[in-house]
Each structure stands twice: as C-alpha cells, then as structure tokens.
Amino acid sequence: MRETRSFDQDQTPRPPAAAGFFSGVHREIWDDADSLLHTKPKEPQRMSESSSRQIVIFDTTLRDGEQSPGASMNLYEKMEVAQALVELGVDVIEAGFPIASPGDFNAVREIAKTVRGSVICGLARCRPEDIDRAWEAVKYAEQPRIHVFLATSAIHREHKLKMDKAEIVQRAVEGVKRAVDYCPDVEFSPEDAVRTEIDFLCQVVEAAIDVGATTVNIPDTVGYATPAHMRRVIEILRNRVPNIDRAVISVHCHNDLGMAVANSLAAVEAGAGQVECTVNGIGERAGNCSLEEIVMALKTRNDFYHAHTRVVSQRIVPTSRLVATVTGIQVQRNKAIVGQNAFAHEAGIHQDGMLKERTTYEIMRPEDVGLTMSDLVLGKHSGRAALADRAKALGYRLTGEQLNLVFDEFKELADKKKEIYDGDIAALIEQQIHGVSELWSLESYQVTSGTGKVPEVTLSVRRGSEVLSTHKVCGDGPVDAVFLAIEELTGISVVCRDFRVHSVTVGKDAQGEVMVQLEYQGELYRGHGVSTDSIEASAKAFLNAINRIASVGNGSQQPSKIR
Ligand SMILES: [Zn+2]
C-alpha cells in the first residue's frame, strides 16, 4: 500500500533493548533544565479576563492522518477532505509530503491550485531537493507554507542521521533559509523534540527563528510526553529562546500513551499558539491529537484557557463522517465528541437529570458539534422537504439532482425500515456523493446457503440498458458466492483484502454498512455499500470497488496508490 515511507517524519525509531535507556536520556534532557524552573517564569501573554487568544489549528489529516495503515486516499478524496477542512474553518491544511511519491506531489499541487480559504502546507525533510519539491507543489496556493523538519534528539542524531549537534544546527539553518527564499511562511520542526536535550532544543529553535522560521513546531513524534512535561518544555522555550516572540510556538502530539490532546492543551496553557491535529485523531500508530477534542476542549473551557479557534464547531460531525468514509477508519462508539455514544445519556439516573435540566449531565450541546437530536425520526410519510431539511442539518449541501437520487433511495429504505435515523440518512447521502460513476449496478440477486451446503446464487447486474445474469453453485458462503458471480459478469478478477460490516444505527432492522478493499493488478480499491440486507450491502460494496477499477481503466481517474 505505502511504498515510500522509509523517511517518514513520524517513524518510530527502534529503541535499544537495554532497560532504563529512556530514563537515562530523560535525566540528560532535564539535568540543566531544573535550575531554570526556579527562575521566574516569563509573564504569560497578558490578557484581561474577557480577552481570548486565537489558537491556530493546523490540520494534518491529509499528511499524518493519511499515513495510518490502510487510510490512504486518492486524489479526488483528498480534494474533498481539503474542501471540507476549509469549511470546518481550519487555519492550515498540511496537504501532504510532496517528495514522498508522485501521487503525494499531485495531491498537494491540486489542493494548492484549487482550495481557497486556508494556508496550504507541504512537508519537507531538511534537504534541498525536498524543499524545492514542496515549493513546486504549494506555490499555487493563496497562502503557501513550507514545513521543514529535521530530527534533533540524541537517539535520532546517532542512529538515524549520524550527525553531531553542530551539523544539525547547520543543516536546520540551511534548510530554513532555502525555504524562506521561496516563501515567507516557513515552519520548522525539530523531530522528536520532546526527547531532545532541552539546551540543544533551545539552540536549534533559536537558530531556525533567526533565519526566518515563522512557526516552530515541537513534535512529540513518539508520543512520549506527559502534560506536565510538555508544559515545561514550552515554558522553557519561552523563557530561554531570546527571539521566541518572532515565531508562533506549535505542538504536534502523538497518542501512544493516550495523552495527545492533554499534552496539546498543556502546551496551549504554557503559551503555544498553534496545535497540530487530525480529524478523528487518525495518524501514525495510535494517532495524533484529535481536532474535535482539542477544539471542543478550548471552546467548552474557554473560562480556563482564554483561548479559542476559528473552527466552525457545527461542521465537526459531518467532517468526521467524511473522513471515516474516505479512509475506511470507523470511529469507536465511545470516542469523545464524535463517537456514536458521545451524547447518549442512557443510564436511568442521568436521563432523569437530563429531563429536569440538561446541564446536570451535559457539558456540550450535541447541536454545537453538528449532531442533530435524533429523536426526530423520519419515516415513509416524510417528504422531500423534510429530507432536504435533515440533510442540511446534518451538514450536507446537496444539489437538486443529488437530493432527488437520495430521496428515491430514502423511499426505498422507508419501505423496509419503519424509523429512519440520522445515521441512515448520512449513509444514503454519502453513498450518493462519494459514489463513482456506475458502470455496473446491482439489478437483483438470490442466494441460498446453509450448513454443509455449497451456496447457489442467481445474480444480475445492469450495464447501461443491458442486463447480464448468471447462475452458479460456488463459494464458501453466500457473500463469497455473490462476489464470484459479480467477478464472472464483470470480467474483473480481484483478491478481497478486507471486508467489514457494521450497523449504521440501532435495532434489528438497522442498515448494514459494508466496506471492502479489493486488490487488482497490485493496487488497492475501496468499496462501500449500505442496505438493510447485509448480503445486498456486500454486493453493492463489491460493485462499488469494481466500478472504481473500471473507471481507472477508462482513464477517467488519475492513478494513485489506493482507490
Ligand atoms: Zn506525526
């Protein structure tokens, strides 16, 4: 799936096996810092009780998020996510790592050319060819940014880069200078900053700002920090680096210990002005600081942090759904803010309190994150206007034609299912707007199977005005039989690499959502299908992926790594 990640910014270094290694490093990092903590801390940015500082939201869903295993997006999907991020109100979009592959380069360049309203950033290692390539891709943006990174911790210096401290500083300075020659907005990241000796970190940061870095990002690349630790790092930088006021301090936290959001908040408290995060917290390994959590924490606790963001919180849930759909990484039920249970108050004692006064158990309102109250259930008598209204409330803007198509599907669903929830409507809309042009569609199927019996399938697909049918006795089960029949009719033979079913809403008549990943000629293609019948949903998902394969064959889509 990913072939070019050997120089990934976030790749975990292989730590030596010796016990106590990290504690040794830790001591070395902090030895000379302790004395500093007894010096008078720099006055935090002065503000009145009512004033609130704006925190820059730097979204890296398309770069770090896309590096989650299996989360690769094609060009069209990346453009769609970028547009959604603008509507969400993020300040900076890290669109990719242009030198990583031609696909990454194209995606960053296309986003830079077409997406307006946010800064578009491209990542580069501290190498001339990387920086040149990043600029080639982002230069079309309304507001371009180059993000240069170089590892600074002892473990990376010794094992990965084989460079001493002086060489690191020199390389950082050269890299930032080269980027500044292209672009006034340059971010510098000392990779693995959190495990870098604090003195040396201060030295590198000062040197980068000196030659023009406008943002200095402190990554916790391996997810090693804790909130108190992160707070101290930022405080020391603010105290010790003489030119620190010339740059925005940023943090980039990973969630290996489950503290990415807490660490980012601690950094904000200590004076950081930018937080790097991803939608649904996706990213390398355990992921990144989750955008929805940091944004809602700052919004809900503005009384404490006196900080806010430009994010339109009502766009959070629709954006979360979009990212889950295009990456295939579903959100866990109990995930804060965007999980299915995040606003469900089921325990009797809580329900009683909620009915008397919502704020007894509710610190945020579901509508503030774009979740409409789901007690308004649609059914077969609901009209087009009611559907349009609900689609709008869910954050979708449909064209008249799209609305008509979704309405037809809605009516069909209402015949099978009495109560139609928001999750059902979202699934229908997403199937419609993320669908590919349908060369083949499912006309009908019938399958019989049972214990110790080879399934028997009759299946028809439509291609334009033509209907093709087959009858087979084959497969390991009904789903396998349906897949084999579709392969025969379409003449496209694939290997199924992933198959997942989950229910969209609640109840026995809930719709099943199927995601498949098919391998065809060495490339992976994703498919998605929804139905109250899980075998039909499987057939639709399989055909959806087959249609993607066919659309590439027709040259109607740019090839990229995964579709
Ligand atoms: Zn990262």
Side-chain angles (χ1 to χ4, degrees):
M1 255 183 279
R2 313 296 301 190
E3 63 290 331
T4 43
R5 294 301 183 197
S6 55
F7 42 75
D8 174 19
Q9 182 192 15
D10 298 297
Q11 205 158 52
T12 317
R14 275 182 208 91
F21 178 84
F22 287 120
S23 56
V25 171
H26 192 258
R27 215 169 300 118
E28 191 187 312
I29 295 170
W30 291 107
D31 271 352
D32 57 349
D34 280 344
S35 60
L36 281 159
L37 293 170
H38 302 299
T39 60
K40 196 173 170 291
K42 197 177 208 174
E43 191 80 354
Q45 283 184 320
R46 204 176 280 279
M47 59 189 76
S48 69
E49 272 299 298
S50 60
S51 76
S52 171
R53 195 159 63 96
Q54 192 198 313
I55 303 300
V56 174
I57 293 295
F58 177 109
D59 179 280
T60 183
T61 306
L62 293 170
R63 202 275 302 166
D64 212 321
E66 209 236 355
Q67 289 173 209
S68 322
S72 304
M73 298 172 232
N74 67 25
L75 178 63
Y76 172 75
E77 290 165 334
K78 284 185 181 179
M79 306 265 296
E80 203 173 6
V81 170
Q83 191 52 48
L85 291 171
V86 170
E87 286 166 24
L88 180 64
V90 311
D91 301 284
V92 186
I93 296 172
E94 186 162 58
F97 190 2
I99 206 162
S101 72
D104 272 34
F105 177 83
N106 282 341
V108 179
R109 190 184 53 186
E110 288 311 306
I111 290 168
K113 279 183 177 171
T114 54
V115 172
R116 295 288 174 260
S118 299
V119 173
I120 305 297
C121 174
L123 182 68
R125 286 168 302 180
C126 231
R127 298 179 179 197
E129 62 274 26
D130 276 45
I131 295 163
D132 297 352
R133 192 85 173 134
W135 175 246
E136 272 302 306
V138 297
K139 68 180 179 189
Y140 304 96
E142 200 174 37
Q143 305 167 71
R145 174 181 292 190
I146 300 175
H147 179 189
V148 181
F149 76 93
L150 179 65
T152 50
S153 64
I155 186 167
H156 280 230
R157 292 194 311 262
E158 286 157 21
H159 298 280
K160 189 172 92 172
L161 298 171
K162 307 205 185 308
M163 290 164 80
D164 65 21
K165 287 181 178 176
E167 287 169 313
I168 295 279
V169 174
Q170 195 194 344
R171 177 77 81 87
V173 163
E174 284 166 4
V176 171
K177 273 185 173 167
R178 193 174 187 97
V180 168
D181 281 344
Y182 286 127
C183 173
D185 187 348
V186 172
E187 172 165 332
F188 174 73
S189 286
E191 187 190 1
D192 203 17
V194 158
R195 291 192 304 168
T196 300
E197 306 90 316
I198 194 75
D199 263 354
F200 183 53
L201 182 64
C202 290
Q203 192 191 336
V204 177
V205 164
E206 183 181 349
I209 296 174
D210 207 41
V211 290
T214 45
T215 299
V216 284
N217 178 45
I218 306 304
D220 180 14
T221 307
V222 293
Y224 181 67
T226 63
H229 176 179
M230 194 48 124
R231 198 192 150 115
R232 282 171 72 183
V233 172
I234 305 300
E235 277 172 356
I236 291 170
L237 287 171
R238 294 193 64 211
N239 275 312
R240 284 268 299 277
V241 176
N243 56 7
I244 197 75
D245 291 335
R246 280 162 45 193
V248 173
I249 302 177
S250 166
V251 282
H252 176 107
C253 298
H254 274 273
N255 209 29
D256 296 70
L257 292 171
M259 288 186 280
V261 175
N263 291 340
S264 305
L265 273 177
V268 167
E269 201 185 343
Q274 173 178 292
V275 173
E276 302 200 356
C277 48
T278 60
V279 175
N280 297 341
I282 62 171
E284 288 272 335
R285 308 181 309 277
N288 286 68
C289 170
S290 130
L291 180 145
E292 57 278 9
E293 292 177 26
I294 187 85
V295 165
M296 289 313 288
L298 291 173
K299 189 177 164 99
T300 308
R301 298 309 310 277
N302 182 267
D303 64 316
F304 185 80
Y305 292 100
H306 303 291
H308 64 276
T309 69
R310 274 181 57 237
V311 168
V312 182
S313 65
Q314 293 78 4
R315 296 287 317 162
I316 285 177
V317 167
T319 314
S320 160
R321 280 204 194 102
L322 171 68
V323 169
T325 308
V326 300
T327 58
I329 300 179
Q330 296 300 320
V331 172
Q332 82 207 40
R333 288 181 85 99
N334 62 328
K335 165 83 173 62
I337 317 295
V338 292
Q340 215 174 326
N341 292 357
F343 290 91
H345 296 269
E346 282 184 20
I349 186 168
H350 286 201
Q351 259 180 1
D352 180 52
M354 285 283 291
L355 290 171
K356 286 177 179 144
E357 168 57 44
R358 285 175 72 165
T359 52
T360 46
Y361 288 102
E362 199 172 78
I363 59 163
M364 295 169 278
R365 295 182 309 165
E367 50 269 40
D368 288 345
V369 300
L371 204 67
T372 50
M373 292 305 285
S374 46
D375 46 358
L376 284 160
V377 176
L378 298 185
K380 81 198 268 186
H381 301 295
S382 307
R384 194 181 307 254
L387 178 70
D389 205 48
R390 185 53 57 88
K392 203 170 148 201
L394 287 168
Y396 298 102
R397 283 175 314 176
L398 300 177
T399 63
E401 192 194 348
Q402 282 173 329
L403 179 65
N404 287 342
L405 291 167
V406 173
F407 187 66
D408 290 345
E409 298 257 333
F410 168 79
K411 280 291 180 194
E412 220 171 279
L413 179 63
D415 280 339
K416 296 183 206 157
K417 192 170 182 297
K418 231 166 57 191
E419 294 173 318
I420 298 185
Y421 299 97
D422 288 348
D424 292 317
I425 295 168
L428 290 181
I429 294 173
E430 267 154 22
Q431 185 168 268
Q432 198 50 248
I433 59 186
H434 305 305
V436 285
S437 55
E438 286 209 327
L439 185 61
W440 285 287
S441 59
L442 182 70
E443 186 72 7
S444 65
Y445 88 94
Q446 195 181 1
V447 64
T448 52
S449 68
T451 312
K453 185 172 181 283
V454 180
E456 189 175 345
V457 60
T458 307
L459 187 138
S460 304
V461 294
R462 175 177 287 280
R463 182 183 176 157
S465 56
E466 195 184 0
V467 176
L468 305 164
S469 302
T470 184
H471 177 88
K472 286 173 90 71
V473 176
C474 63
D476 289 333
V479 171
D480 191 36
V482 163
F483 286 2
L484 288 168
I486 293 174
E487 280 185 303
E488 183 194 301
L489 290 176
T490 59
I492 294 177
S493 178
V494 294
V495 180
C496 186
R497 291 291 178 205
D498 196 10
F499 173 82
R500 270 172 288 165
V501 195
H502 83 278
S503 83
V504 175
T505 53
V506 291
K508 276 192 290 191
D509 62 351
Q511 290 195 96
E513 185 173 37
V514 173
M515 316 277 275
V516 295
Q517 230 175 54
L518 306 183
E519 190 181 324
Y520 178 73
Q521 294 183 351
E523 301 237 22
L524 285 167
Y525 297 80
R526 201 178 293 118
H528 172 249
V530 185
S531 172
T532 49
D533 169 348
S534 60
I535 295 180
E536 185 180 281
S538 307
K540 283 183 173 176
F542 197 82
L543 267 174
N544 182 236
I546 294 273
N547 281 325
R548 282 175 199 266
I549 296 171
S551 70
V552 172
N554 287 343
S556 61
Q557 222 180 17
Q558 284 288 313
S560 73
K561 288 165 300 236
I562 190 170
R563 281 164 260 268

